[in-house]
PDB file of all heavy atoms in Angstrom:
ATOM      1  N   MET C   1     -55.411 -97.464 -92.470  1.00 89.00           N
ATOM      2  CA  MET C   1     -56.620 -96.732 -92.701  1.00 89.00           C
ATOM      3  C   MET C   1     -56.574 -95.915 -93.968  1.00 89.00           C
ATOM      4  O   MET C   1     -55.576 -95.426 -94.369  1.00 89.00           O
ATOM      5  CB  MET C   1     -56.868 -95.732 -91.522  1.00 89.00           C
ATOM      6  CG  MET C   1     -57.169 -96.409 -90.243  1.00 89.00           C
ATOM      7  SD  MET C   1     -58.743 -97.332 -90.226  1.00 89.00           S
ATOM      8  CE  MET C   1     -59.922 -95.944 -90.045  1.00 89.00           C
ATOM      9  N   ALA C   2     -57.758 -95.886 -94.669  1.00 93.00           N
ATOM     10  CA  ALA C   2     -57.801 -95.082 -95.867  1.00 93.00           C
ATOM     11  C   ALA C   2     -59.074 -94.138 -95.753  1.00 93.00           C
ATOM     12  O   ALA C   2     -60.092 -94.537 -95.196  1.00 93.00           O
ATOM     13  CB  ALA C   2     -57.975 -95.966 -97.094  1.00 93.00           C
ATOM     14  N   LYS C   3     -58.851 -92.973 -96.217  1.00 96.00           N
ATOM     15  CA  LYS C   3     -59.957 -92.031 -96.145  1.00 96.00           C
ATOM     16  C   LYS C   3     -60.784 -92.130 -97.407  1.00 96.00           C
ATOM     17  O   LYS C   3     -60.283 -92.122 -98.510  1.00 96.00           O
ATOM     18  CB  LYS C   3     -59.453 -90.571 -96.010  1.00 96.00           C
ATOM     19  CG  LYS C   3     -58.809 -90.363 -94.619  1.00 96.00           C
ATOM     20  CD  LYS C   3     -58.241 -88.986 -94.562  1.00 96.00           C
ATOM     21  CE  LYS C   3     -59.271 -87.915 -94.244  1.00 96.00           C
ATOM     22  NZ  LYS C   3     -58.691 -86.594 -94.181  1.00 96.00           N
ATOM     23  N   VAL C   4     -62.078 -92.381 -97.228  1.00 97.00           N
ATOM     24  CA  VAL C   4     -62.986 -92.640 -98.393  1.00 97.00           C
ATOM     25  C   VAL C   4     -63.885 -91.470 -98.606  1.00 97.00           C
ATOM     26  O   VAL C   4     -64.486 -90.909 -97.678  1.00 97.00           O
ATOM     27  CB  VAL C   4     -63.843 -93.905 -98.098  1.00 97.00           C
ATOM     28  CG1 VAL C   4     -64.812 -94.143 -99.259  1.00 97.00           C
ATOM     29  CG2 VAL C   4     -62.947 -95.100 -97.853  1.00 97.00           C
ATOM     30  N   LEU C   5     -63.987 -91.102 -99.905  1.00 98.00           N
ATOM     31  CA  LEU C   5     -64.916 -89.967-100.279  1.00 98.00           C
ATOM     32  C   LEU C   5     -65.997 -90.546-101.230  1.00 98.00           C
ATOM     33  O   LEU C   5     -65.660 -91.189-102.233  1.00 98.00           O
ATOM     34  CB  LEU C   5     -64.137 -88.852-101.004  1.00 98.00           C
ATOM     35  CG  LEU C   5     -65.019 -87.790-101.658  1.00 98.00           C
ATOM     36  CD1 LEU C   5     -65.676 -86.896-100.574  1.00 98.00           C
ATOM     37  CD2 LEU C   5     -64.189 -86.899-102.535  1.00 98.00           C
ATOM     38  N   ILE C   6     -67.229 -90.325-100.889  1.00 98.00           N
ATOM     39  CA  ILE C   6     -68.308 -90.757-101.778  1.00 98.00           C
ATOM     40  C   ILE C   6     -68.889 -89.512-102.493  1.00 98.00           C
ATOM     41  O   ILE C   6     -69.365 -88.599-101.829  1.00 98.00           O
ATOM     42  CB  ILE C   6     -69.485 -91.436-101.055  1.00 98.00           C
ATOM     43  CG1 ILE C   6     -68.958 -92.671-100.335  1.00 98.00           C
ATOM     44  CG2 ILE C   6     -70.583 -91.808-102.030  1.00 98.00           C
ATOM     45  CD1 ILE C   6     -70.013 -93.390 -99.499  1.00 98.00           C
ATOM     46  N   LEU C   7     -68.753 -89.471-103.826  1.00 98.00           N
ATOM     47  CA  LEU C   7     -69.375 -88.419-104.604  1.00 98.00           C
ATOM     48  C   LEU C   7     -70.757 -88.998-104.988  1.00 98.00           C
ATOM     49  O   LEU C   7     -70.830 -89.918-105.834  1.00 98.00           O
ATOM     50  CB  LEU C   7     -68.577 -88.111-105.840  1.00 98.00           C
ATOM     51  CG  LEU C   7     -67.192 -87.524-105.606  1.00 98.00           C
ATOM     52  CD1 LEU C   7     -66.384 -87.503-106.899  1.00 98.00           C
ATOM     53  CD2 LEU C   7     -67.339 -86.125-105.081  1.00 98.00           C
ATOM     54  N   PHE C   8     -71.767 -88.495-104.341  1.00 98.00           N
ATOM     55  CA  PHE C   8     -73.170 -89.055-104.553  1.00 98.00           C
ATOM     56  C   PHE C   8     -73.948 -88.083-105.411  1.00 98.00           C
ATOM     57  O   PHE C   8     -73.961 -86.911-105.212  1.00 98.00           O
ATOM     58  CB  PHE C   8     -73.785 -89.194-103.189  1.00 98.00           C
ATOM     59  CG  PHE C   8     -75.156 -89.752-103.221  1.00 98.00           C
ATOM     60  CD1 PHE C   8     -75.393 -91.088-103.609  1.00 98.00           C
ATOM     61  CD2 PHE C   8     -76.285 -88.986-102.909  1.00 98.00           C
ATOM     62  CE1 PHE C   8     -76.661 -91.603-103.729  1.00 98.00           C
ATOM     63  CE2 PHE C   8     -77.531 -89.490-102.990  1.00 98.00           C
ATOM     64  CZ  PHE C   8     -77.746 -90.815-103.388  1.00 98.00           C
ATOM     65  N   ALA C   9     -74.591 -88.734-106.442  1.00 97.00           N
ATOM     66  CA  ALA C   9     -75.341 -87.905-107.373  1.00 97.00           C
ATOM     67  C   ALA C   9     -76.705 -88.543-107.679  1.00 97.00           C
ATOM     68  O   ALA C   9     -76.782 -89.593-108.296  1.00 97.00           O
ATOM     69  CB  ALA C   9     -74.598 -87.687-108.675  1.00 97.00           C
ATOM     70  N   HIS C  10     -77.742 -87.896-107.105  1.00 96.00           N
ATOM     71  CA  HIS C  10     -79.114 -88.374-107.394  1.00 96.00           C
ATOM     72  C   HIS C  10     -80.005 -87.102-107.382  1.00 96.00           C
ATOM     73  O   HIS C  10     -80.199 -86.430-106.421  1.00 96.00           O
ATOM     74  CB  HIS C  10     -79.590 -89.326-106.308  1.00 96.00           C
ATOM     75  CG  HIS C  10     -80.807 -90.111-106.757  1.00 96.00           C
ATOM     76  ND1 HIS C  10     -81.935 -89.550-107.166  1.00 96.00           N
ATOM     77  CD2 HIS C  10     -80.947 -91.490-106.853  1.00 96.00           C
ATOM     78  CE1 HIS C  10     -82.819 -90.536-107.489  1.00 96.00           C
ATOM     79  NE2 HIS C  10     -82.216 -91.692-107.345  1.00 96.00           N
ATOM     80  N   PRO C  11     -80.586 -86.850-108.594  1.00 94.00           N
ATOM     81  CA  PRO C  11     -81.289 -85.568-108.731  1.00 94.00           C
ATOM     82  C   PRO C  11     -82.651 -85.547-107.946  1.00 94.00           C
ATOM     83  O   PRO C  11     -83.121 -84.481-107.710  1.00 94.00           O
ATOM     84  CB  PRO C  11     -81.533 -85.487-110.269  1.00 94.00           C
ATOM     85  CG  PRO C  11     -81.460 -86.890-110.750  1.00 94.00           C
ATOM     86  CD  PRO C  11     -80.536 -87.578-109.841  1.00 94.00           C
ATOM     87  N   ALA C  12     -83.210 -86.740-107.700  1.00 91.00           N
ATOM     88  CA  ALA C  12     -84.560 -86.735-107.016  1.00 91.00           C
ATOM     89  C   ALA C  12     -84.573 -87.802-106.016  1.00 91.00           C
ATOM     90  O   ALA C  12     -85.307 -88.790-106.120  1.00 91.00           O
ATOM     91  CB  ALA C  12     -85.644 -86.924-108.031  1.00 91.00           C
ATOM     92  N   LEU C  13     -83.758 -87.632-104.986  1.00 92.00           N
ATOM     93  CA  LEU C  13     -83.562 -88.677-103.940  1.00 92.00           C
ATOM     94  C   LEU C  13     -84.881 -88.972-103.249  1.00 92.00           C
ATOM     95  O   LEU C  13     -85.133 -90.102-102.793  1.00 92.00           O
ATOM     96  CB  LEU C  13     -82.510 -88.257-102.920  1.00 92.00           C
ATOM     97  CG  LEU C  13     -81.977 -89.386-102.065  1.00 92.00           C
ATOM     98  CD1 LEU C  13     -81.333 -90.496-102.871  1.00 92.00           C
ATOM     99  CD2 LEU C  13     -81.022 -88.843-100.980  1.00 92.00           C
ATOM    100  N   GLU C  14     -85.762 -87.917-103.189  1.00 88.00           N
ATOM    101  CA  GLU C  14     -87.056 -88.132-102.482  1.00 88.00           C
ATOM    102  C   GLU C  14     -87.900 -89.208-103.226  1.00 88.00           C
ATOM    103  O   GLU C  14     -88.811 -89.738-102.610  1.00 88.00           O
ATOM    104  CB  GLU C  14     -87.802 -86.752-102.350  1.00 88.00           C
ATOM    105  CG  GLU C  14     -88.186 -86.134-103.684  1.00 88.00           C
ATOM    106  CD  GLU C  14     -87.040 -85.293-104.305  1.00 88.00           C
ATOM    107  OE1 GLU C  14     -85.887 -85.279-103.782  1.00 88.00           O
ATOM    108  OE2 GLU C  14     -87.219 -84.727-105.408  1.00 88.00           O
ATOM    109  N   LYS C  15     -87.547 -89.466-104.489  1.00 88.00           N
ATOM    110  CA  LYS C  15     -88.340 -90.441-105.215  1.00 88.00           C
ATOM    111  C   LYS C  15     -87.617 -91.823-105.211  1.00 88.00           C
ATOM    112  O   LYS C  15     -88.116 -92.773-105.811  1.00 88.00           O
ATOM    113  CB  LYS C  15     -88.472 -89.999-106.613  1.00 88.00           C
ATOM    114  CG  LYS C  15     -89.425 -88.812-106.812  1.00 88.00           C
ATOM    115  CD  LYS C  15     -89.422 -88.318-108.273  1.00 88.00           C
ATOM    116  CE  LYS C  15     -90.294 -87.082-108.363  1.00 88.00           C
ATOM    117  NZ  LYS C  15     -90.202 -86.530-109.697  1.00 88.00           N
ATOM    118  N   SER C  16     -86.475 -91.855-104.615  1.00 91.00           N
ATOM    119  CA  SER C  16     -85.680 -93.092-104.743  1.00 91.00           C
ATOM    120  C   SER C  16     -86.085 -94.147-103.696  1.00 91.00           C
ATOM    121  O   SER C  16     -86.480 -93.847-102.537  1.00 91.00           O
ATOM    122  CB  SER C  16     -84.171 -92.673-104.494  1.00 91.00           C
ATOM    123  OG  SER C  16     -83.467 -93.746-103.940  1.00 91.00           O
ATOM    124  N   ARG C  17     -85.945 -95.382-104.098  1.00 91.00           N
ATOM    125  CA  ARG C  17     -86.219 -96.505-103.191  1.00 91.00           C
ATOM    126  C   ARG C  17     -84.893 -97.094-102.657  1.00 91.00           C
ATOM    127  O   ARG C  17     -84.773 -97.373-101.507  1.00 91.00           O
ATOM    128  CB  ARG C  17     -86.967 -97.649-103.876  1.00 91.00           C
ATOM    129  CG  ARG C  17     -88.407 -97.319-104.239  1.00 91.00           C
ATOM    130  CD  ARG C  17     -88.940 -98.378-105.221  1.00 91.00           C
ATOM    131  NE  ARG C  17     -89.047 -99.695-104.609  1.00 91.00           N
ATOM    132  CZ  ARG C  17     -88.420-100.827-105.046  1.00 91.00           C
ATOM    133  NH1 ARG C  17     -87.680-100.712-106.128  1.00 91.00           N
ATOM    134  NH2 ARG C  17     -88.612-101.966-104.446  1.00 91.00           N
ATOM    135  N   ILE C  18     -83.919 -97.235-103.588  1.00 95.00           N
ATOM    136  CA  ILE C  18     -82.734 -97.958-103.251  1.00 95.00           C
ATOM    137  C   ILE C  18     -81.643 -97.063-102.750  1.00 95.00           C
ATOM    138  O   ILE C  18     -81.053 -97.222-101.687  1.00 95.00           O
ATOM    139  CB  ILE C  18     -82.214 -98.737-104.474  1.00 95.00           C
ATOM    140  CG1 ILE C  18     -83.372 -99.326-105.210  1.00 95.00           C
ATOM    141  CG2 ILE C  18     -81.106 -99.684-104.068  1.00 95.00           C
ATOM    142  CD1 ILE C  18     -83.810-100.641-105.147  1.00 95.00           C
ATOM    143  N   ASN C  19     -81.339 -96.061-103.579  1.00 96.00           N
ATOM    144  CA  ASN C  19     -80.212 -95.188-103.234  1.00 96.00           C
ATOM    145  C   ASN C  19     -80.380 -94.465-101.900  1.00 96.00           C
ATOM    146  O   ASN C  19     -79.380 -94.170-101.207  1.00 96.00           O
ATOM    147  CB  ASN C  19     -79.981 -94.183-104.356  1.00 96.00           C
ATOM    148  CG  ASN C  19     -79.217 -94.824-105.530  1.00 96.00           C
ATOM    149  OD1 ASN C  19     -78.123 -95.262-105.322  1.00 96.00           O
ATOM    150  ND2 ASN C  19     -79.852 -94.910-106.663  1.00 96.00           N
ATOM    151  N   LYS C  20     -81.681 -94.111-101.569  1.00 95.00           N
ATOM    152  CA  LYS C  20     -81.891 -93.438-100.358  1.00 95.00           C
ATOM    153  C   LYS C  20     -81.377 -94.325 -99.191  1.00 95.00           C
ATOM    154  O   LYS C  20     -80.786 -93.802 -98.272  1.00 95.00           O
ATOM    155  CB  LYS C  20     -83.408 -93.255-100.210  1.00 95.00           C
ATOM    156  CG  LYS C  20     -83.800 -92.084 -99.288  1.00 95.00           C
ATOM    157  CD  LYS C  20     -85.272 -92.105 -99.008  1.00 95.00           C
ATOM    158  CE  LYS C  20     -86.143 -91.502-100.124  1.00 95.00           C
ATOM    159  NZ  LYS C  20     -87.568 -91.548 -99.856  1.00 95.00           N
ATOM    160  N   ARG C  21     -81.630 -95.646 -99.275  1.00 96.00           N
ATOM    161  CA  ARG C  21     -81.208 -96.492 -98.214  1.00 96.00           C
ATOM    162  C   ARG C  21     -79.740 -96.742 -98.224  1.00 96.00           C
ATOM    163  O   ARG C  21     -79.020 -96.860 -97.165  1.00 96.00           O
ATOM    164  CB  ARG C  21     -81.973 -97.790 -98.289  1.00 96.00           C
ATOM    165  CG  ARG C  21     -83.428 -97.551 -97.780  1.00 96.00           C
ATOM    166  CD  ARG C  21     -84.398 -98.527 -98.270  1.00 96.00           C
ATOM    167  NE  ARG C  21     -84.368 -99.797 -97.526  1.00 96.00           N
ATOM    168  CZ  ARG C  21     -85.306-100.750 -97.687  1.00 96.00           C
ATOM    169  NH1 ARG C  21     -86.247-100.604 -98.598  1.00 96.00           N
ATOM    170  NH2 ARG C  21     -85.178-101.881 -97.018  1.00 96.00           N
ATOM    171  N   LEU C  22     -79.163 -96.939 -99.442  1.00 97.00           N
ATOM    172  CA  LEU C  22     -77.724 -97.187 -99.545  1.00 97.00           C
ATOM    173  C   LEU C  22     -76.957 -96.014 -98.949  1.00 97.00           C
ATOM    174  O   LEU C  22     -76.025 -96.222 -98.172  1.00 97.00           O
ATOM    175  CB  LEU C  22     -77.333 -97.317-101.034  1.00 97.00           C
ATOM    176  CG  LEU C  22     -77.770 -98.575-101.789  1.00 97.00           C
ATOM    177  CD1 LEU C  22     -77.401 -98.513-103.262  1.00 97.00           C
ATOM    178  CD2 LEU C  22     -77.227 -99.846-101.082  1.00 97.00           C
ATOM    179  N   ILE C  23     -77.357 -94.762 -99.274  1.00 96.00           N
ATOM    180  CA  ILE C  23     -76.569 -93.628 -98.844  1.00 96.00           C
ATOM    181  C   ILE C  23     -76.736 -93.425 -97.340  1.00 96.00           C
ATOM    182  O   ILE C  23     -75.806 -92.938 -96.692  1.00 96.00           O
ATOM    183  CB  ILE C  23     -76.858 -92.401 -99.704  1.00 96.00           C
ATOM    184  CG1 ILE C  23     -75.704 -91.416 -99.616  1.00 96.00           C
ATOM    185  CG2 ILE C  23     -78.146 -91.703 -99.317  1.00 96.00           C
ATOM    186  CD1 ILE C  23     -74.448 -91.825-100.327  1.00 96.00           C
ATOM    187  N   SER C  24     -77.946 -93.714 -96.796  1.00 95.00           N
ATOM    188  CA  SER C  24     -78.054 -93.493 -95.345  1.00 95.00           C
ATOM    189  C   SER C  24     -77.179 -94.530 -94.576  1.00 95.00           C
ATOM    190  O   SER C  24     -76.685 -94.201 -93.523  1.00 95.00           O
ATOM    191  CB  SER C  24     -79.480 -93.459 -94.814  1.00 95.00           C
ATOM    192  OG  SER C  24     -80.335 -94.108 -95.711  1.00 95.00           O
ATOM    193  N   ALA C  25     -77.022 -95.755 -95.202  1.00 95.00           N
ATOM    194  CA  ALA C  25     -76.152 -96.707 -94.604  1.00 95.00           C
ATOM    195  C   ALA C  25     -74.732 -96.214 -94.570  1.00 95.00           C
ATOM    196  O   ALA C  25     -73.996 -96.377 -93.558  1.00 95.00           O
ATOM    197  CB  ALA C  25     -76.247 -98.016 -95.275  1.00 95.00           C
ATOM    198  N   ALA C  26     -74.342 -95.577 -95.642  1.00 96.00           N
ATOM    199  CA  ALA C  26     -72.947 -95.098 -95.803  1.00 96.00           C
ATOM    200  C   ALA C  26     -72.670 -94.004 -94.727  1.00 96.00           C
ATOM    201  O   ALA C  26     -71.501 -93.817 -94.276  1.00 96.00           O
ATOM    202  CB  ALA C  26     -72.730 -94.550 -97.179  1.00 96.00           C
TER     203      ALA C  26
END
Side-chain angles (χ1 to χ4, degrees):
Chain C
M1 291 297 281
K3 291 175 81 181
V4 177
L5 172 68
I6 300 178
L7 295 169
F8 179 68
H10 197 304
L13 195 61
E14 62 279 0
K15 292 175 181 173
S16 150
R17 291 166 66 238
I18 321 262
N19 279 301
K20 205 191 280 179
R21 285 157 81 170
L22 290 176
I23 201 70
S24 21

